[in-house]
Amino acid sequence: MLIVMRPDATAQDIERVNDEIRRRGWQPHAIAGGSRTAIGITGNPGAVEPEPFRVLPGVADAVSISQPFKLVSREVKPEDSLVRVGNLTLGGAAIHVIAGPCSVESREQIISTAQAVKAAGATMLRGGAFKPRTSPYEFQGLKGDGLALLAEARKETGLLVTTEVKDTATLAAVAEHTDILQVGARNMQNFSLLEAVGETRKPVLLKRGISATIKELLMAAEYIVARGNTQVILCERGIRTFENMTRNTLDLNAVPMLKALTHLPVFVDPSHGIGVRKAVPAMMRAAVAAGADGLIVEVHPDPPRAKSDGFQSLDFSEFEKAMGEVRAIAQAMGREMVRLG
Ligand code: PEP
Ligand code: MN
């Protein structure tokens, strides 16, 4: 249920509606929007009777939400949500590119990559420190040392950083060092982790699970937003299909579907999406053409020697060239590709 307030509703009218919701044991959620003030209701076990809300002063309407995801739905908030990361604004007309290695490996590696991706037009740096690997015998990341190196790269270049939060045990340490908390595909339905990142006020990049439907991705986002953290970016990163010539099947269908279903920004990860280095630039271009609000791309100084995902990482010159092509697509789409400085 969504309570839509009249434009002339007072703060007292809004508080009265909130009190009525709480009195029933449910939770009110203020939906910030340019064109109207609205209050979402969660925690109701069944359908909400609209009439008792419709008669309250300042209420324009009480409408039921048809989708199972409520707070992230476009029905609740027609305008695009903007996510603020430091001094950057993600979503709306802007396109941002996050780039960097799959894993932080050394000071030299992360700083040289940060400088190169910044020069090529990325606005944020990625790099895994706590890595969720398929095999326990593969490189697990530099962990705390990796976080410290990301902080150094951030200081050196001014690039904001995103890194994966693998579990609730490391959340506090990761949150202290990162500007965006990345929830990985393997954790998309780790509900304790979703609830915990929902309690923080850090922006979250939520990646689609390997076999998750679009609806399941939106329900996962709902877990975070229902805890009060509205700063969520969704990320299509490829799904598992019968096709095995590529690592995953980048589901670009998800981009226009998500843009219609939710107000949250939608990013695409073409690196994990296709998993074939030479093919990544084509999927960067296609993602922007499909309406993505940003990209997260793996870039490494020496991909064949990378400790993880080298086969899908671009080197510096491949990334620079791909960024030029993406800029042309962004312009054709009437989007603004943000650059720093
Ligand atoms: C990654 O970004 O390196 C990563 C592990 O991604 P995903 O969770 O999408 O597999
Ligand atoms: Mn990776």
Side-chain angles (χ1 to χ4, degrees):
M1 173 73 57
L2 183 72
I3 314 296
V4 182
M5 302 303 291
R6 290 162 38 138
D8 61 354
T10 63
Q12 205 183 2
D13 293 338
I14 294 171
E15 212 26 62
R16 192 176 298 113
V17 171
N18 287 339
D19 286 345
E20 279 301 313
I21 296 169
R22 287 194 200 100
R23 205 169 58 74
R24 290 163 167 79
W26 308 333
Q27 292 87 49
H29 300 264
I31 314 287
S35 57
R36 63 181 187 184
T37 299
I39 301 161
I41 302 178
T42 64
N44 48 300
V48 176
E49 214 15 80
E51 227 28 63
F53 291 99
R54 281 202 186 114
V55 297
L56 293 176
V59 172
D61 204 358
V63 288
S64 66
I65 305 301
S66 61
Q67 299 286 6
F69 43 90
K70 309 286 177 198
L71 302 174
V72 305
S73 155
R74 276 249 188 236
E75 289 179 80
V76 161
K77 181 167 182 274
E79 307 90 354
D80 285 344
S81 277
L82 303 176
V83 171
R84 295 194 205 285
V85 186
N87 54 1
L88 303 177
T89 304
L90 279 54
I95 291 182
H96 285 268
V97 179
I98 306 171
C102 179
S103 304
V104 180
E105 298 170 8
S106 67
R107 174 177 290 110
E108 160 66 17
Q109 177 242 20
I110 194 67
I111 300 225
S112 66
T113 307
Q115 285 164 338
V117 299
K118 183 182 180 186
T123 54
M124 283 169 279
L125 176 69
R126 62 151 290 149
F130 293 91
K131 294 299 299 177
R133 303 305 303 279
T134 301
S135 162
Y137 308 118
E138 287 173 332
F139 179 57
Q140 303 287 310
L142 295 181
K143 306 197 165 103
D145 293 343
L147 295 179
L149 291 175
L150 280 171
E152 263 190 59
R154 182 182 193 273
K155 201 163 159 218
E156 189 79 22
T157 59
L159 288 177
L160 300 176
V161 304
T162 181
T163 196
E164 179 162 351
V165 54
K166 192 160 72 73
D167 46 41
T168 50
T170 51
L171 173 58
V174 173
E176 196 186 317
H177 285 94
T178 194
D179 300 290
I180 298 181
L181 294 165
Q182 181 175 325
V183 174
R186 291 156 192 78
N187 265 323
M188 190 204 82
Q189 286 189 317
N190 178 340
F191 298 113
S192 310
L193 184 60
L194 297 177
E195 286 167 358
V197 299
E199 294 294 337
T200 75
R201 291 299 174 263
K202 282 258 167 189
V204 177
L205 181 82
L206 175 65
K207 299 189 90 178
R208 182 179 180 181
I210 290 164
S211 300
T213 63
I214 290 171
K215 193 196 272 183
E216 286 164 344
L217 171 61
L218 289 165
M219 296 309 293
E222 187 82 10
Y223 263 87
I224 302 171
V225 176
R227 293 277 166 146
N229 187 354
T230 57
Q231 303 268 94
V232 178
I233 305 148
L234 303 175
C235 184
E236 163 58 41
R237 49 76 73 204
I239 51 174
R240 182 162 288 177
T241 68
F242 57 82
E243 181 54 71
N244 57 13
M245 197 63 83
T246 49
R247 181 178 183 182
N248 290 296
T249 296
L250 183 62
D251 181 18
L252 287 180
N253 292 350
V255 177
M257 292 307 290
L258 287 169
K259 293 298 294 178
L261 290 166
T262 179
H263 50 84
L264 299 174
V266 177
F267 273 45
V268 168
D269 175 344
S271 309
H272 294 83
I274 193 159
V276 177
R277 184 172 156 209
K278 291 287 177 216
V280 168
M283 301 323 277
M284 292 168 67
R285 301 193 299 269
V288 171
D293 299 304
L295 302 173
I296 176 163
V297 183
E298 288 186 338
V299 177
H300 192 281
D302 188 3
R305 280 185 190 75
K307 292 195 171 164
S308 60
D309 288 355
F311 54 85
Q312 64 187 32
S313 302
L314 302 182
D315 67 23
F316 297 166
S317 67
E318 287 167 330
F319 179 66
E320 191 188 1
K321 179 165 180 283
M323 286 292 278
E325 295 163 354
V326 168
R327 215 168 280 120
I329 304 277
Q331 201 177 4
M333 297 297 299
R335 307 289 297 266
E336 186 206 340
M337 215 157 127
V338 180
R339 270 197 100 109
L340 294 181

